[in-house]
Amino acid sequence: MTATLTELQLEPLGPHFGAVVHGLDLASATDEEVLAVRAALVDRKVLFFRDQRLDDDGQVDLGRRIGELTASHPVVGGVDADHPEVYALDSADNGFADVWHTDVTFMKRPPLGSILRAVTLPPSGGDTNWADAQLAYESLTPAVQRLVDGLTAVHDGNREFGYYLAQRRGGQGNEWDGELVTRLDPVEHPVIRVHPETGRKGIFVNPGFTSHITGVSEFESRAILDLLYAHLTKPEHIVRHRWRTGDVAMWDNRSTAHYANRDYGTQRRVMHRITLRGDIPIGPPR
Ligand SMILES: O=C(O)CCC(=O)C(=O)O
Ligand SMILES: [Fe+2]
């Protein structure tokens, strides 16, 4: 039997990065279409699907067809008892993401990818931006690439999420990678990550969770991180999405960072996310 290669209708959002997938209903996609989406995810790094009709169950079902789901978050429980995999970001509950970050890099195995659905949107504002961490690495000069290639950084989730452990769940924690997380111990990851599927290198530090680079002075760490962040978030490396209800975004969390604009005042904005289980980040060979 010959395998059929399903062609998606992809509208690229730039020469390298981001695409809108047209003509695909995620709730009724065929296995071939799901495989094609999985391949496009690695290639375009962030995909957008308009006019979808997913609810929480549909979002979870879709995620399970693409990969293995994690719990909602290492320390934040699911949106309700029936959906322990769904993480809700609700502006009415202090759910904001207006710091550049890659999801959950403060754990040993950060997610492979995330699937985000717009549930309630403000009349305007609340756009989300993604940065292409591979394009950003590749557009550094070779001398700076050599400097950062061998570095390791510490990621610490306590600044953003320590209070959940301290207050919200009475120190109970949540489950991640089959273990109950009752403390957020800092973890180390390579500053430059080699993508496990393509071998491409990308910047894998982020202002949300990276605390410092190891083996250099605090001053050097700050300066190197600031250089990498300023470079990562150059407009050439960004796509920006203006949400409509029903939209779904899917990103490769191994090769991108993202930022949700907080420019809608006291209006409500609610987003539901699921994350796909990832692997331990690997750096370039020494
Ligand atoms: O609210 C958004 O647009 C993005 C939130 C976020 O950082 C995430 O879902 O991982
Ligand atoms: Fe995020």
Side-chain angles (χ1 to χ4, degrees):
M1 219 172 77
T2 41
T4 44
L5 201 64
T6 300
E7 295 264 342
L8 297 176
Q9 292 174 45
L10 287 184
E11 177 198 340
L13 293 171
H16 308 284
F17 171 48
V20 181
V21 182
H22 293 285
L24 182 62
D25 175 19
L26 289 170
S28 64
T30 64
D31 289 349
E32 288 74 23
E33 285 167 338
V34 170
L35 273 176
V37 166
R38 178 69 178 73
L41 177 67
V42 172
D43 185 44
R44 297 309 296 186
K45 302 167 205 176
V46 58
L47 303 175
F48 302 98
F49 306 83
R50 295 284 198 186
D51 304 316
Q52 299 297 316
R53 51 190 174 103
L54 296 179
D55 54 11
D56 288 327
D57 286 333
Q59 193 173 359
V60 166
D61 288 345
L62 172 69
R64 289 207 177 114
R65 297 182 72 194
I66 294 183
E68 192 186 334
L69 293 191
T70 68
S72 60
H73 186 276
V75 303
V76 185
V79 65
D80 57 40
D82 292 334
H83 302 99
E85 307 90 350
V86 177
Y87 177 58
L89 265 117
D90 183 343
S91 62
D93 191 26
N94 217 25
F96 301 106
D98 55 334
V99 178
W100 281 101
H101 67 283
T102 298
D103 288 335
V104 196
T105 62
F106 52 89
M107 299 300 284
K108 278 203 181 67
R109 296 170 67 114
L112 174 157
S114 302
I115 304 175
L116 184 67
R117 181 167 64 90
V119 177
T120 303
L121 292 171
S124 66
D127 294 1
T128 307
N129 309 270
W130 282 264
D132 183 337
Q134 293 177 337
L135 187 61
Y137 174 80
E138 288 158 11
S139 62
L140 290 168
T141 56
V144 175
Q145 288 176 341
R146 278 194 296 278
L147 169 70
V148 295
D149 263 353
L151 297 176
T152 299
V154 175
H155 296 239
D156 187 345
N158 283 295
R159 277 180 306 177
E160 290 283 332
F161 294 109
Y163 77 103
Y164 270 95
L165 278 174
Q167 302 163 15
R168 293 291 290 263
R169 294 172 61 89
Q172 247 184 307
N174 198 16
E175 174 265 324
W176 188 265
D177 263 342
E179 281 177 30
L180 185 67
V181 180
T182 53
R183 312 196 316 223
L184 287 174
D185 293 327
V187 299
E188 290 190 1
H189 294 305
V191 167
I192 302 305
R193 180 174 190 176
V194 176
H195 195 285
E197 295 181 50
T198 64
R200 283 178 73 181
K201 294 186 203 171
I203 295 172
F204 199 67
V205 285
N206 68 82
F209 303 126
T210 308
S211 60
H212 62 282
I213 295 176
T214 62
V216 300
S217 72
E218 197 180 323
F219 172 78
E220 289 164 337
S221 166
R222 188 69 270 146
I224 295 168
L225 288 175
D226 284 345
L227 180 155
L228 291 175
Y229 298 157
H231 184 71
L232 175 65
T233 57
K234 275 176 73 172
E236 291 88 335
H237 304 149
I238 304 297
V239 296
R240 173 171 173 164
H241 186 65
R242 182 169 296 176
W243 293 95
R244 296 198 306 238
T245 310
D247 282 1
V248 172
M250 195 183 291
W251 61 92
D252 189 329
N253 197 53
R254 302 164 296 186
S255 54
T256 58
H258 55 280
Y259 179 114
N261 293 0
R262 184 175 173 180
D263 55 357
Y264 44 88
T266 55
Q267 299 284 343
R268 189 102 183 263
R269 181 177 183 276
V270 182
M271 310 293 281
H272 284 189
R273 184 187 84 186
I274 56 174
T275 43
L276 304 166
R277 187 161 190 245
D279 50 14
I280 296 176
I282 304 291
R286 296 286 173 122

